[in-house]
Amino acid sequence: MTSVDGLTVVIAVAVACAVALLGWLLDSRARRQGRPEFRQSGSRPARTRAFIAVCAAVAAVVAPQLAVLWVLVALNFTLGSSESVPFSMYTMFSKPDSTAWTLRFEGPDGRLVPIGKLGLAPHTMRKRFTTELRKAHRQGIRDVDAARLSAAAPLVALVEQHRPPAGPLANSPITIVLVEYSMASEGLVTVKTPLVEAVPQ
Amino acid sequence: MSLSIPDWSATELQIMRIGLGFVVIKTFSRMLILRPAHNLRHPVGLARLVNLRPMGSRLVVKGLQYGAFVAALCYAAGRLVPFALAYLSVALILEATYRSSDGSVDHGDHLLAAVLVAQTAATIVWNAADRWSWDLGALSADSQQATAVWWSIQAIAAVYFTSGLSKLINTGGRWIGRSTRLLLAGYGRLETQRMTGKGSLAAGREAAGIRNAEIALSALSSRLRLAQCVFAAGLIIELAAPIGLLGEAVMMAAGLGLIALHVGNQVLLRLPFPEYQLLVLIYFVNLPRLLW
């Protein structure tokens, strides 16, 4: 029941909230002054992660009543960087981008195909596309369109694996369309690019 | 700033146990839906060391699932608790690792896995201390179950704090300023939701949730400062989750804040994470204490 345990929490939360609010302030000021967006160097996040893991490990020693909290934070920032369940850094939505995209599965008439009914989770297909895109870049495919085509190919195979033997989706082609979103002064801008068509064998 | 572990009554602890049993059954009951149907091409965590391909077999999954149902019932009834928790932890880690090794990491079960691992560790440590007369000091509470609950609460706080810190690390502290870009992701999520099959009604009319999300996204897109304030509140709630450990009233307030964050995510980004909400409701909000 020492005050040191509570103090570790208060300091950690206060520092984190202060960084968040200060960053907001700096970002607003940079925008007003028309300065380019802040970009951090490649190794900086890794160094910050290591620093946080060390701080959390120290906090676990000095605050034994909250040791579980700090040990888990330290493990999240070490083992979690490679997504070793149950440890994770929970990076979802941690890097808001100036554009967003999604995949749309369309029938021949351009209407949306509810692929969930085929047993395919749309968000899983989207994440799979991201992974395949990264893989294509690693393989040296630099052309954006070629990389997208290469990433879409495994999705076509998945659609074909899950295509029902009967019904309206059994024989109709399904087009995988990349939908990109961006914000302009006139509002939301949506660009649709058909990538590849899944045709029943 | 002094800390005291909450003093839960036997009834509260029993309700928490039944609540966790329910969350486990809910999670394992959807194991057979939407499984990767081929080899694990992007193994993560344990899948890098152990061959998890047998997890693709329907027979193995069924066995794991029924085992989890039995273990959850044993746990809720307070029978064979260490074995039930150990089984559930291993089963969920294997399942979540398997599903995340298909090129698409699924965080939906991470909080439950963290809670189960924390409870398993608490139970093992408590029993070992009891057997060999160790002094656990500040690490433990009054009873084995209270210790398991206290460790679970710390695990939940660690998850939210980590998530908040990741946002700051990956943007160099500028996350709030850039958070309005998540509205674009929200539009993408709507399109994704429409394809799940749940997002559209038979007559082609859209479900109310999608319509409401579109209205909220459109309103915030035209008021970017307000949108930043909304996202800032969400980030502060995540970062402040460990403050809940300082007292029962703050824990309840932090819990309600976290549930509000998930409701906001549900409305704007179509990401409800129901198991996360339930676990926060069980351990942070502690419904029996809130109501009586």
Side-chain angles (χ1 to χ4, degrees), chain A residues 7 25 52 65 107 143 171 194:
Chain A
L7 206 60
L25 191 78
I52 290 173
Q65 202 171 4
D143 180 60
N171 296 311

Side-chain angles (χ1 to χ4, degrees), chain A residues 1-7 9-10 12-13 15-17 19-24 26-28 31-32 37-40 44-46 48-49 52 64-70 72-73 76-77 82-105 111-117 119-132 135 138 154 158 161-162 179 181-183 188-189 192, chain B residues 1-5 34-35 37-38 41-42 44-46 48 92-93 96-97 100 102-107 109-111 113-114 117-118 138-139 150-152 154-189 191-198 200 204 221 224-225 228-229 232 235-236 239-246 269 271 273 276:
Chain A
M1 310 288 173
T2 60
S3 58
V4 177
D5 298 72
L7 206 60
V9 164
V10 172
V13 171
V15 169
C17 290
V19 168
L21 296 174
L22 189 68
W24 189 9
L26 291 175
D27 199 63
S28 300
R31 271 168 216 257
R32 272 201 309 274
E37 193 171 88
F38 168 80
R39 294 206 178 275
Q40 50 187 346
R44 194 165 161 179
T48 313
R49 281 199 300 270
I52 290 173
Q65 202 171 4
L66 299 176
V68 175
L69 165 78
W70 295 124
L72 286 176
V73 170
N76 280 338
F77 280 97
S82 57
E83 292 294 346
S84 306
V85 183
F87 308 111
S88 170
M89 287 183 50
Y90 303 93
T91 50
M92 200 163 58
F93 300 124
S94 69
K95 276 188 205 171
D97 213 343
S98 53
T99 57
W101 61 268
T102 192
L103 292 177
R104 190 181 149 91
F105 294 75
R111 284 179 67 171
L112 206 61
V113 173
I115 56 164
K117 287 182 179 169
L120 291 165
H123 65 275
T124 307
M125 297 292 267
R126 185 189 183 285
K127 286 184 188 174
R128 177 71 189 275
F129 183 74
T130 313
T131 310
E132 295 295 340
K135 193 173 151 195
R138 275 202 304 273
L158 276 175
Q161 274 174 24
H162 285 79
V179 186
Y181 303 94
S182 58
M183 206 65 89
L188 180 74
V189 178
K192 287 183 183 178
Chain B
M1 252 162 305
S2 68
L3 254 173
S4 62
I5 301 174
L34 307 171
R35 296 184 68 74
H38 51 82
R41 304 202 320 175
H42 306 280
V44 294
L46 201 61
R48 289 179 176 157
L92 190 60
I93 288 173
T97 304
S100 297
D102 190 36
S104 146
V105 175
D106 183 351
H107 289 121
D109 298 329
H110 276 55
L111 188 65
V117 168
L139 266 175
W150 179 237
W151 286 27
S152 302
Q154 292 184 61
I156 294 171
V159 165
Y160 285 104
F161 191 57
T162 303
S163 170
L165 287 181
S166 285
K167 292 180 175 75
L168 296 180
I169 293 170
N170 288 336
T171 54
R174 267 84 164 168
W175 189 83
I176 297 173
R178 295 174 195 177
S179 59
T180 49
R181 296 170 183 177
L182 290 179
L183 296 172
L184 296 173
Y187 284 107
R189 294 280 318 169
E191 196 74 4
T192 302
Q193 189 80 18
R194 286 187 180 108
M195 288 185 293
T196 55
K198 289 182 281 183
S200 56
S221 299
L224 292 181
R225 187 58 81 180
Q228 279 183 344
C229 292
L235 178 62
I236 299 296
L239 290 172
I243 291 287
L245 301 171
L246 298 183
L269 304 168
L271 282 172
F273 281 97
Y276 280 57

Side-chain angles (χ1 to χ4, degrees), chain A residues 140-151:
Chain A
I141 305 175
R142 293 280 165 256
D143 180 60
V144 176
D145 292 334
R148 285 173 175 174
L149 274 181
S150 160

